[in-house]
Amino acid sequence: MSARRTSRVLALWCPDWPAVAAAAAADLAPTRPVVVLHANRVVACSQLARSAGVRRGLRRREAQARCPDLYVARDDPDRDARLFEPVATAVDATVPGVEVLRPGLLVLAARGAARFFGSEEQAAEQLVDAVAATGVECRIGIADEMSTAVLAARRAALVAPGTGAQFLASLPVSELAVEPSLAGPERVDLVDLLHRLGLRRIGDFAALTPAEVASRFGVDAIAAHRCARAEPERAPAARPPAPDLTVEYPCDPPIDRIDAAAFAGRLLAVRLHDRLADAAVACTRLAVTAETAAGERLSRIWRCAEPLTPEGTADRVRWQLDGWLTQRALRGHHPDHDEWTGIATIGGQAERPGASRTRRTAPPNGSADNTVAPGRAVPAAPIVLLRLEPVEVVTAGALQLGLWGGEGEQEERFRRALVRVQGLLGGEAVLKGVLSGGRGPAERITLIALGDELSPAADPALPWPGRLPIPAPAVVLVDRPEVILESAAGAPVWITDRGLFTADPAHLRWGTKDWQVAAWSGPWPLDERWWSDGHADAVRAQILLRDDVMVLLLFGRDHIWHAEGLYD
């Protein structure tokens, strides 16, 4: 128990952060309900919008029908990260050692804060006050494990040491997928499966043994099961990173614009992942450090549930630099302002009188991972050096590689090669398949030239009665080569007026090869476009060849069978 007590984690959660950031960016009144949309659906909304009946997943028109006074904002991760930086700075000024999971959620070690302020309750109160000074509301959760602390923060609960499993047991199993920074997108499917299996509470899922979970579910389910049982999660440094993995970028000229910061972040991300690939590792915790012309040092740690890709790394570097540079632009710098006098609000308003605080000489966690020069909260000079340091790395097998063996960069190189092929052979020489609507496998694929808008010929979301049942063929034969289906007596097999085979299929001949038929499924008559003049009856069937050689999807018309697809 004493070992568990030393690893207490504090999570600070700002509810509805995308909506809060959108309202702050638009300078809205506190009484105005706000929603944030992505792909025309609500991904976040304020408390006032929820009280009017707005929920996540609603379409824009339905949300506006429920709340006519709704302010609609688009999803903007850059805005969310930029406006969250003052909050992270306020927390870091109170308790150093902040790790950002995503804009609106951060974690830190609770042990040092509790010892410095006297107790975990007093540390939570100090952090709430520090964040409130920025004009933002937050909730604090403390528990033995990070995932438990994050879920506790949503309920503003301080979980006693050793009671994490009891706290989680009564929560709905859907809580395992409520926080995207703790799990991958497949967690939603896992929660839906558990719910259909009758495991409605986290305690029901935790009651399963690890062997039962490992033998019936995937890798993500094992991680979710450990979370449900509040078992120790990965250590703060699962594998010590090699010092030569750190990459630096001397900024000449110094960076004081966001567009230049984005370019530098992308360049550093590519360099970092090249080194990680050479070392056969992937990064899960990344320290972004900037040094200014005035000798200041700013640092922030980003923690991710899954190994970072080059694009994810570049995004986090851009968000962090955007937040630092925006604070500098909003605050401004004056030679007389050598001492820090509070935290700017997320909208950039001036501090309230009497908000001055004094920095401590000894940080409560005894760590300087997230520090600035003494007396500084935002950079007072342009950035002259950027550094990316992988604080925690895992084996490269934990990162799902792309189709062509890379993490994004290889796919971009492949795309450039295809564009070169288009330049030599024409735009239609390189086609990309897009899922489309239809009943047959060929109809469900729309081939579009590389670079054109990926718009299918028919909407795949529409109902398609008579559609070929799943699974779909692994290989679709567009030219539909002709085959011959025969009975045991050698007579051709076709379809009767009742939609049945005229005889049991026994042989299938394809060119010069002849196979025996082991089993079949169907036939399924097709009655499409009966109103057209060229209408002709068609049929499909599935044929399993003996010795499991292959499974074919046959398409028949005018007493002729064609091979339309192959199954694995």
Side-chain angles (χ1 to χ4, degrees), residues 319-514:
W319 294 343
Q320 190 60 61
L321 297 179
D322 190 358
W324 284 334
L325 295 175
T326 301
Q327 283 191 83
R328 178 175 179 267
L330 292 176
R331 174 77 60 84
H333 177 63
H334 192 276
D336 296 335
H337 294 174
D338 289 335
E339 296 298 329
W340 177 51
T341 56
I343 299 296
T345 62
I346 61 176
Q349 291 87 349
E351 320 303 332
R352 60 184 181 184
S356 309
R357 298 174 183 254
T358 303
R359 292 296 296 268
R360 292 178 297 276
T361 57
N365 284 345
S367 171
D369 287 343
N370 292 55
T371 60
V372 297
R376 302 290 185 191
V378 294
I383 296 174
V384 297
L385 179 67
L386 291 178
R387 182 184 302 109
L388 297 185
E389 179 182 358
V391 179
E392 176 181 286
V393 296
V394 295
T395 58
L399 179 62
Q400 180 64 43
L401 299 181
L403 177 62
W404 305 100
E407 305 166 335
E409 182 67 19
Q410 296 294 334
E411 294 183 4
E412 181 62 25
R413 295 178 182 175
F414 180 76
R415 180 180 178 86
R416 290 197 296 267
L418 291 181
V419 172
R420 176 61 176 167
V421 173
Q422 282 184 314
L424 296 174
L425 304 179
E428 299 297 328
V430 181
L431 303 177
K432 185 175 183 179
V434 179
L435 182 63
S436 182
R439 295 177 174 83
E443 300 169 0
R444 302 199 66 198
I445 300 175
T446 302
L447 295 178
I448 300 175
L450 183 68
D452 292 349
E453 182 180 359
L454 301 179
S455 56
D459 187 0
L462 295 177
W464 294 96
R467 186 177 64 184
L468 184 70
I470 57 175
V475 178
V476 178
L477 305 175
V478 181
D479 55 350
R480 289 179 176 175
E482 183 177 341
V483 298
I484 299 176
L485 194 62
E486 297 177 342
S487 65
V493 175
W494 189 239
I495 306 299
T496 66
D497 294 338
R498 292 180 175 271
L500 303 175
F501 284 125
T502 56
D504 291 346
H507 298 275
L508 185 140
R509 287 195 288 118
W510 185 347
T512 59
K513 295 186 177 181
D514 187 352

Side-chain angles (χ1 to χ4, degrees), residues 101 105 107 146-148 150-151 175-176 179-184 187 220 223 227 233 303-306:
L101 298 183
L105 178 64
V107 296
M146 184 181 67
S147 57
T148 308
V150 170
L151 296 180
E175 291 290 312
L176 294 176
E179 180 49 58
S181 62
L182 297 180
R187 183 66 60 84
D220 181 67
C227 172
E233 298 172 341
R303 178 191 286 260
C304 302
E306 296 181 340

